[in-house]
Amino acid sequence: MLEPKTLFQEQYEILSTLGSGGFGSVYKARQLSTSQKVAIKVIPAPSLGMTAASRARRASRLQREMQLCAQLHHPNIVRVIDTGTTSEGEIY
């Protein structure tokens, strides 16, 4: 779990945790370059006992979600502005 005031990827200041579950955690953050508020979904790095196939399915699911969100434009749907993998292997 990321704590408030933590810098994420040297681009975002974590403000609070919005929620977490079996798939990952979502954080409210501030993008440092624009000061806009953003939501960051973080899928944890592989844990002991997680198979490579399970990790690949999670990564594929997040990629599909990002592609679908990027195609939709509506005031009630989030925009995808960034994606990546941290040095610890977390996908965001």
Side-chain angles (χ1 to χ4, degrees):
M1 276 304 246
L2 298 172
E3 298 295 323
K5 304 291 183 190
T6 301
L7 283 184
F8 182 76
Q9 293 298 97
E10 299 181 22
Q11 299 177 64
Y12 305 98
E13 177 188 12
I14 301 300
L15 301 175
S16 64
T17 301
L18 295 175
S20 61
F23 191 63
S25 299
V26 179
Y27 301 94
K28 179 179 180 181
R30 182 178 62 85
Q31 187 178 32
L32 298 178
S33 62
T34 64
S35 293
Q36 74 177 333
K37 299 287 183 352
V38 297
I40 302 173
K41 181 182 276 190
V42 179
I43 309 307
S47 59
L48 292 175
M50 181 182 282
T51 65
S54 175
R55 176 73 174 161
R57 280 192 305 275
R58 282 183 171 200
S60 178
R61 179 178 166 186
L62 183 61
Q63 186 65 33
R64 281 191 312 274
E65 181 180 328
M66 290 183 297
Q67 289 172 345
L68 288 170
C69 283
Q71 294 174 20
L72 301 172
H73 302 284
H74 187 276
N76 296 331
I77 298 175
V78 298
R79 290 181 302 123
V80 176
I81 59 172
D82 193 13
T83 66
T85 304
T86 68
S87 58
E88 293 83 22
E90 300 170 312
I91 301 168
Y92 66 95

